[in-house]
Amino acid sequence: MAFQSHKSPNLPMPPSEYNNGYFFDLIRSIGSYFSIHDSKAGLSLDSVVTDVIQLPIGSFTASNGANNNITLPNKSFIRVTGPTGAFSITGITKPANPDGRVVILYNTTSQNMTITNDATSTAANRILTGQGDVATTGIGIVSLIYSVTDARWILLTALV
């Protein structure tokens, strides 16, 4: 039977600010509707089709020059604003529950943003690029993931 022929589960309404409680309610709602089974975790979602992924959006106001040990809002997509000259990000404060945390930094300014490779910030907040410093030419996007094993943010992609 095709997915479209099934009645939709009653999903919780998205809150104005996303939090873990919303996602747990969402998984429980979906899980109660679909067949659940996973040999490792005891859970899986079978036959779920989704059209979009929506990430919570936040912002960070950077300053000209080096931005060390910056603290970001608890969001996945971060709009970087503020600087009137070239600037760098040398590290991001290690979040609570950091392993696998993904952050996308969107430089909305016309200023060059440099992601500094493994220097200046506190060790656990530093960024490993695998290729030296990486710079956007004005507007650009970088995505990072935190690795507890490496105790560093790891550059995934850079659209410069």
Side-chain angles (χ1 to χ4, degrees):
M1 203 179 283
F3 176 79
Q4 291 80 7
S5 67
H6 292 284
K7 181 181 172 199
S8 262
N10 293 325
L11 301 178
M13 290 298 297
S16 59
E17 290 282 330
Y18 286 96
N19 58 39
N20 286 342
Y22 167 74
F23 291 106
F24 291 135
D25 289 344
L26 181 62
I27 294 299
R28 278 192 291 275
S29 296
I30 293 171
S32 67
Y33 183 74
F34 293 98
S35 170
I36 303 292
H37 175 70
D38 183 312
S39 61
K40 291 183 181 177
L43 292 175
S44 75
L45 216 39
D46 296 332
S47 306
V48 175
V49 178
T50 58
D51 295 318
V52 297
I53 295 174
Q54 185 172 356
L55 300 174
I57 297 175
S59 64
F60 170 74
T61 303
S63 57
N64 295 351
N67 290 265
N68 304 320
N69 299 306
I70 66 172
T71 300
L72 298 176
N74 192 25
K75 307 292 182 191
S76 297
F77 186 86
I78 308 296
R79 296 176 56 85
V80 179
T81 61
T84 57
F87 67 103
S88 64
I89 295 176
T90 67
I92 301 167
T93 303
K94 177 181 159 185
N97 305 317
D99 206 17
R101 167 90 187 268
V102 174
V103 172
I104 300 167
L105 300 176
Y106 170 41
N107 178 17
T108 65
T109 75
S110 60
Q111 307 306 319
N112 294 350
M113 174 178 72
T114 299
I115 302 300
T116 303
N117 182 55
D118 201 24
T120 312
S121 281
T122 304
N125 298 339
R126 292 181 186 172
I127 303 165
L128 293 176
T129 67
Q131 56 188 321
D133 294 352
V134 173
T136 67
T137 306
I139 295 173
I141 297 174
V142 297
S143 61
L144 309 163
I145 188 168
Y146 195 87
S147 168
V148 169
T149 303
D150 298 298
R152 298 286 194 278
W153 289 94
I154 309 294
L155 178 71
L156 294 173
T157 59
L159 300 172
V160 296

